[in-house]
Amino acid sequence: MINIEHLTKTYNEGRANECKVLTDVNLEVNRGEKISIIGKSGCGKSTLLHIIALIDSFQKGEYNFNNTPVRAMSNQELARLRNRSIGLVLQDFALISEYTVMENVLLPTMFTKCDNHKMKKRAEMLLSKTGLIKFKNHYASQLSGGQKQRVAICRSLINDPDLILADEPTGSLDPQTGTEIISLLIEMCDSNKALIVITHDLDIAQQFPLKYQLSNGELACI
């Protein structure tokens, strides 16, 4: 699914304040794999996730998504691929407070040609699996942190993507709720989906069968 070779990312390249964040990153991810990437704050974890998510660019190296080189794709093609094939779960949930739970879950479907009735049924299925179906008409502002993250998980899965990316998904939660959220993420990603979780918490990272550490711009299996 994902193949990254010798990827380099530098901010302010060629300037006095040049900062090389990723120096030689290599990563292969297959369908069904569950991966954690751990590293200290500021080591480039989020930058790597944004590149994998097709949000950020890179200077050197190769990145193939489903055997397609992303360098050769236009911004419009990248946006379509991102919406169709990648689901994002963020630390701050990124919900729209004045939208209901159902509206937040369905938000990614606004950018696709899909059967609205079918997608609403899928949203209800996901909310049922996460124990939130009774809150579907509640506003996001009425939910607890754990409930908000469950909504974010449902939203990330609504388009049935190939890849789920989670950036510090437990960072705003207490330890018990965080553990529950990680277990839910792993459970909700079936054998056709890959899951990559970025974290600075070793206890969270240890819950994954495949673990990597990002340090000095390089990624190593641990």
Side-chain angles (χ1 to χ4, degrees):
M1 178 187 295
I2 287 176
N3 184 260
I4 292 173
E5 295 183 351
H6 309 299
L7 187 143
T8 297
K9 173 67 177 181
T10 303
Y11 289 109
N12 304 314
E13 189 175 28
R15 301 179 184 176
N17 59 342
E18 178 178 295
C19 178
K20 185 171 284 188
V21 182
L22 304 173
T23 59
D24 187 25
V25 170
N26 298 276
L27 178 65
E28 184 173 340
V29 183
N30 299 305
R31 288 184 182 275
E33 290 186 332
K34 312 295 187 288
I35 294 171
S36 64
I37 298 177
I38 191 169
K40 297 179 180 179
S41 296
C43 74
K45 300 188 305 296
S46 292
T47 297
L48 177 57
L49 181 135
H50 291 160
I51 291 172
I52 295 173
L54 310 177
I55 295 171
D56 203 352
S57 60
F58 55 96
Q59 282 83 15
K60 297 178 182 178
E62 297 298 329
Y63 172 20
N64 294 310
F65 192 103
N66 284 338
N67 297 316
T68 301
V70 302
R71 271 185 180 277
M73 301 179 74
S74 67
N75 288 337
Q76 187 176 27
E77 289 171 330
L78 289 170
R80 280 199 299 266
L81 178 59
R82 182 168 58 245
N83 185 251
R84 182 179 67 249
S85 299
I86 299 175
L88 282 172
V89 180
L90 305 174
Q91 178 178 340
D92 63 357
F93 321 125
L95 302 182
I96 300 177
S97 297
E98 60 269 26
Y99 280 19
T100 65
V101 166
M102 178 63 77
E103 288 169 338
N104 270 285
V105 173
L106 289 171
L107 192 60
T109 69
M110 295 174 61
F111 307 100
T112 61
K113 295 179 181 179
C114 57
D115 184 321
N116 291 335
H117 179 73
K118 180 180 178 181
M119 298 311 290
K120 186 175 180 180
K121 288 294 185 184
R122 178 169 172 77
E124 289 176 343
M125 178 272 291
L126 292 169
L127 289 170
S128 294
K129 283 189 173 183
T130 55
L132 290 174
I133 190 63
K134 63 182 179 182
F135 297 103
K136 70 177 184 178
N137 294 319
H138 284 56
Y139 291 105
S141 58
Q142 297 175 296
L143 304 179
S144 68
Q147 290 169 332
K148 288 178 181 178
Q149 200 59 295
R150 288 171 185 264
V151 174
I153 291 171
C154 292
R155 182 187 57 196
S156 75
L157 290 163
I158 189 65
N159 283 337
D160 197 21
D162 298 318
L163 173 66
I164 299 295
L165 299 172
D167 190 2
E168 299 282 5
T170 66
S172 299
L173 306 174
D174 63 84
Q176 180 178 342
T177 304
T179 298
E180 292 171 358
I181 288 297
I182 292 299
S183 296
L184 181 63
L185 265 172
I186 293 172
E187 177 188 340
M188 296 290 283
C189 291
D190 58 34
S191 59
N192 287 320
K193 292 177 175 45
L195 170 64
I196 301 176
V197 171
I198 302 291
T199 183
H200 66 272
D201 189 328
L202 183 58
D203 290 336
I204 295 297
Q206 294 287 10
Q207 296 184 50
F208 290 79
L210 291 172
K211 297 173 282 292
Y212 290 83
Q213 183 170 17
L214 184 62
S215 180
N216 298 319
E218 296 185 6
L219 194 64
C221 190
I222 57 175

